[in-house]
Amino acid sequence: MLLPIQCCYLSTIAALTIFLSTTSFSDAQSCNGILVSYAYTGGSRLPPNVSNAAEQPYRFESTLTVLNNGLDELKSWKVFVGFDHDELLVSASNAVLADGTTLPAAVGNGTVFAGYPMTDLKTAVATAGDLTQMQVQINLVGTVFGVAPPSVPMPKSINLANDGFVCRASTTQGKNASSVCCTRDPKFKTNITTDEEFLPRQNGDLSIMYDVIRTYDSNYWAEVTIANHNPLGRLDNWRLSWDWMNDEFIYSMKGAYPSVVDSSECLFGKQGTFYRDLDFATVLNCERRPTIIDLPPTKFNDSDLGKIPFCCRNGTILPPTMDPSMSASRFQMQVFKMPPALNRSQLSPPQNWKISGTLNPDYKCGPPVRVSPTENPDPSGLPSNKTVMASWQVVCNITTAKGTSSKCCVSFSAYYNDSVIPCKTCACGCPQNRERTCSTTASAMLLPPEALLVPYENRTAKAIAWASLKHFPVPNPMPCSDNCGVSINWHLLTDYNKGWSARVTLFNWGETNFADWFAAVQMDKAAAGFEKMYSFNATLVDGVNNTIIMQGLPGLNYLVAEADGADPLRDPRVPGKQQSVISFTKKLTPGINTVRGDGFPTKVLFNGEECSLPSVLPTSGGSWDGFSLGTSVLLSLLSFLLTR
């Protein structure tokens, strides 16, 4: 039987053996900073056998090592690995993906790893050279395509992803290992001091605070606060998910609820074996990756489920420019832990956070970072603050993935042109059915103004008749629809010496009602001359001098869903719609040319989601040359129908 000191000695020898097998000894000695190394350790052919060698899958195994050889502790380490062979990562020990993606995940374009559970790497000076505290090793297993042994699928680059570091050129050891030394950049300015126990809070479009407010040996209460910091970002019907890493489960909640209430995984799992006396009929959720949703406003004063500040808003989080009091959401939950974490001071947040909403921007969330405990006003009313037990911050930023379709679109029209330039073909995605009879590449056909009032499937006859009248070409096959749930028409209404105006019309073609909606238009040359909006509230966004945000007036800020026509058997469906005129002065924008394009927005957002814009503008030989009596009648009819 081994004595404790022998076990410790053998484990140190084992760690040193692994370290030396993946890192050059000379590199480890010469790097006075953070040494990052990558070593391919093996691979094998995987089924199925395919004829195309480039598509043949192979298993790969490798080891990523991060060693702190510097004088400062490395907090919340992050490492970029530039995978370059369509890799699919299946598992990674001692790390998570920094963008919150759950494994398995496609990492062929490279990915950033973040430490878990060991997030900080101490120095040799502070630990007397203890590798278990100053180094972390991540064992990677995944699938690679087209790289058959003995060829080695090495990443094209590796480097430290923490801010304030400069990495040298990487060095290779044979064909299956490489390393890079990264040192602090003396030019990088930071407000972080090395003697602080926690990292400062970071800025982002959205932040999520995970605060432990009460803790016991076997469970704790956490308060989760979602705060919106982006002036134009928002969430509707938010859905929040994460991964429990140590078999935790949710016993009870206030202010929010799991989308699925199910305790069967606990009852028939290790949790049920350990907590023999616990009534699992009252447990809310035992999923490894739960999804949390907000409660309706009717539950705010519920003694069991509500009475949490900022809770119970149907998942709506508005931008602070609209209403600061509505820019946050909060809930509490009781979390039960599993061995060996049965200690009130042993706390660990969930990982791989993701948040989404309905017709909202896409957010990418980083890993939880330990920050100084949150301070709240003392509930007794004393002039002091009370800190929570522990706090972690998750920062999420708005991202747009390549190939992502828009969720809304814009059409353009003007007083000097008879036709409406509609939304682009497939602006919000093309039809999924393979038997489609429309073209995804043909340009959208110009429309008469009244065609904007009917669903796309009812516009064909109007578009063809308009093309015949105006001698426009008719594509064969016809272009596919825009497939957008929300569309916005920007109509240049008037233009005179001292000012000009436009009419903005919102159409909701979907089945979702939008409460507290907002739209924002970016006008690089015209925004400074904004005067007034008549049926909407509108204002210039603080700190952004080219963007106007608009929303419905109190009591009129509800954009309803599409509904049946007066006679469903005969009439087309009717979109939810709202309309207003916006006016501008030319006094503050001398030289502006509205007809040449300055009177049209260069970017439009609806509920924080960027809309697809037409690629061309209405044309005219002169200010009023193209304006006809027919156009006047049609536009008057459109305005009359929209305001009914």
Side-chain angles (χ1 to χ4, degrees), residues 49-281:
N49 297 319
V50 297
S51 56
N52 186 349
E55 296 178 357
Q56 180 63 49
Y58 296 88
R59 174 188 174 95
F60 76 89
E61 299 177 17
S62 56
T63 301
L64 176 68
T65 305
V66 188
L67 171 67
N68 186 0
N69 269 352
L71 291 174
D72 300 324
E73 181 178 0
L74 179 63
K75 295 180 181 291
S76 295
W77 67 264
K78 292 183 291 186
V79 167
F80 172 78
V81 178
F83 292 111
D84 196 31
H85 303 89
D86 293 328
E87 287 89 343
L88 178 72
L89 188 63
V90 175
S91 67
S93 66
N94 300 319
V96 295
L97 299 189
D99 64 0
T101 303
T102 302
L103 297 179
V107 295
N109 292 324
T111 191
V112 176
F113 292 94
Y116 179 83
M118 188 174 177
T119 60
D120 304 334
L121 298 179
K122 298 184 182 297
T123 66
V125 173
T127 64
D130 184 358
L131 284 178
T132 62
Q133 299 185 66
M134 52 187 287
Q135 173 189 274
V136 64
Q137 287 190 320
I138 303 97
N139 296 316
L140 307 175
V141 178
T143 302
V144 65
F145 295 90
V147 185
S151 297
V152 177
M154 290 292 290
K156 59 183 177 182
S157 64
I158 54 173
N159 57 68
L160 191 67
N162 292 70
D163 292 334
F165 283 85
V166 177
C167 296
R168 305 174 192 166
S170 60
T171 59
T172 59
Q173 293 87 45
K175 66 176 183 178
N176 66 336
S178 66
S179 62
V180 63
C181 181
C182 304
T183 56
R184 289 198 175 274
D185 182 359
K187 299 179 181 179
F188 181 77
K189 295 181 179 180
T190 178
N191 57 356
I192 302 174
T193 56
T194 57
D195 57 349
E196 288 181 345
E197 185 178 359
F198 305 110
L199 288 173
R201 285 163 168 75
Q202 301 297 307
N203 297 321
D205 293 321
L206 191 82
S207 67
I208 304 172
M209 290 302 304
Y210 191 83
D211 296 322
V212 176
I213 56 176
R214 293 192 297 276
T215 179
Y216 312 96
D217 286 343
S218 63
N219 65 90
Y220 64 87
W221 275 90
E223 184 172 78
V224 180
T225 304
I226 309 166
N228 184 13
H229 305 292
N230 187 289
L232 298 176
R234 71 176 282 165
L235 284 162
D236 292 281
N237 305 114
W238 59 256
R239 298 171 66 87
L240 182 65
S241 58
W242 59 71
D243 285 337
W244 293 118
M245 307 301 286
N246 300 301
D247 301 312
E248 298 98 330
F249 59 93
I250 302 173
Y251 183 80
S252 61
M253 297 188 72
K254 291 173 71 69
Y257 221 64
S259 62
V260 175
V261 178
D262 184 10
S263 60
S264 59
E265 291 186 32
C266 286
L267 188 62
F268 301 107
K270 61 179 71 174
Q271 296 93 338
T273 302
F274 181 76
Y275 289 104
R276 293 181 177 274
D277 298 328
L278 190 65
D279 183 6
F280 281 92

Side-chain angles (χ1 to χ4, degrees), residues 561-582:
E562 189 181 49
D564 287 333
D567 184 352
L569 297 178
R570 182 174 56 89
D571 298 331
R573 287 174 64 80
V574 178
K577 52 189 177 290
Q578 289 199 22
Q579 184 185 82
S580 180
V581 171
I582 182 172

Side-chain angles (χ1 to χ4, degrees), residues 202-477:
Q202 301 297 307
N203 297 321
D205 293 321
L206 191 82
S207 67
I208 304 172
M209 290 302 304
Y210 191 83
D211 296 322
V212 176
I213 56 176
R214 293 192 297 276
T215 179
Y216 312 96
D217 286 343
S218 63
N219 65 90
Y220 64 87
W221 275 90
E223 184 172 78
V224 180
T225 304
I226 309 166
N228 184 13
H229 305 292
N230 187 289
L232 298 176
R234 71 176 282 165
L235 284 162
D236 292 281
N237 305 114
W238 59 256
R239 298 171 66 87
L240 182 65
S241 58
W242 59 71
D243 285 337
W244 293 118
M245 307 301 286
N246 300 301
D247 301 312
E248 298 98 330
F249 59 93
I250 302 173
Y251 183 80
S252 61
M253 297 188 72
K254 291 173 71 69
Y257 221 64
S259 62
V260 175
V261 178
D262 184 10
S263 60
S264 59
E265 291 186 32
C266 286
L267 188 62
F268 301 107
K270 61 179 71 174
Q271 296 93 338
T273 302
F274 181 76
Y275 289 104
R276 293 181 177 274
D277 298 328
L278 190 65
D279 183 6
F280 281 92
T282 60
V283 170
L284 286 184
N285 188 276
C286 290
E287 295 175 305
R288 184 179 186 271
R289 187 170 183 82
T291 297
I292 309 302
I293 57 176
D294 198 10
L295 293 174
T298 54
K299 296 296 182 182
F300 181 80
N301 290 319
D302 190 295
S303 299
D304 296 324
L305 297 175
K307 299 205 170 188
I308 301 295
F310 309 113
C311 86
C312 312
R313 293 169 172 172
N314 271 336
T316 296
I317 302 178
L318 300 180
T321 51
M322 284 183 64
D323 188 347
S325 67
M326 291 285 290
S327 64
S329 191
R330 182 178 294 165
F331 63 89
Q332 296 179 357
M333 61 181 176
Q334 186 179 15
V335 180
F336 270 73
K337 302 183 291 183
M338 287 290 291
L342 299 181
N343 185 304
R344 67 180 60 203
S345 63
Q346 200 163 345
L347 302 167
S348 178
Q351 300 288 319
N352 301 329
W353 292 69
K354 182 175 179 59
I355 190 166
S356 61
T358 304
L359 196 66
N360 293 140
D362 293 323
Y363 291 87
K364 282 286 186 181
C365 299
V369 174
R370 186 75 181 268
V371 294
S372 58
T374 300
E375 294 185 359
N376 297 311
D378 195 298
S380 65
L382 293 174
S384 61
N385 291 332
K386 184 177 181 180
T387 62
V388 300
M389 307 298 177
S391 295
W392 288 265
Q393 184 194 35
V394 177
V395 175
C396 307
N397 288 303
I398 296 174
T399 60
T400 302
K402 289 184 178 179
T404 302
S405 299
S406 299
K407 299 172 185 175
C408 55
C409 65
V410 177
S411 61
F412 286 156
S413 56
Y415 65 82
Y416 50 78
N417 195 303
D418 289 354
S419 300
V420 173
I421 300 175
C423 294
K424 289 182 179 179
T425 302
C426 295
C428 298
C430 290
Q432 297 298 318
N433 57 311
R434 296 182 180 179
E435 295 79 18
R436 64 170 181 254
T437 57
C438 60
S439 170
T440 61
T441 57
S443 298
M445 295 179 63
L446 298 179
L447 299 173
E450 75 272 11
L452 293 177
L453 290 166
V454 297
Y456 193 91
E457 57 269 19
N458 298 96
R459 294 181 185 175
T460 302
K462 293 181 180 294
I464 293 176
W466 189 251
S468 176
L469 179 65
K470 296 293 183 180
H471 306 292
F472 296 150
V474 178
N476 186 19

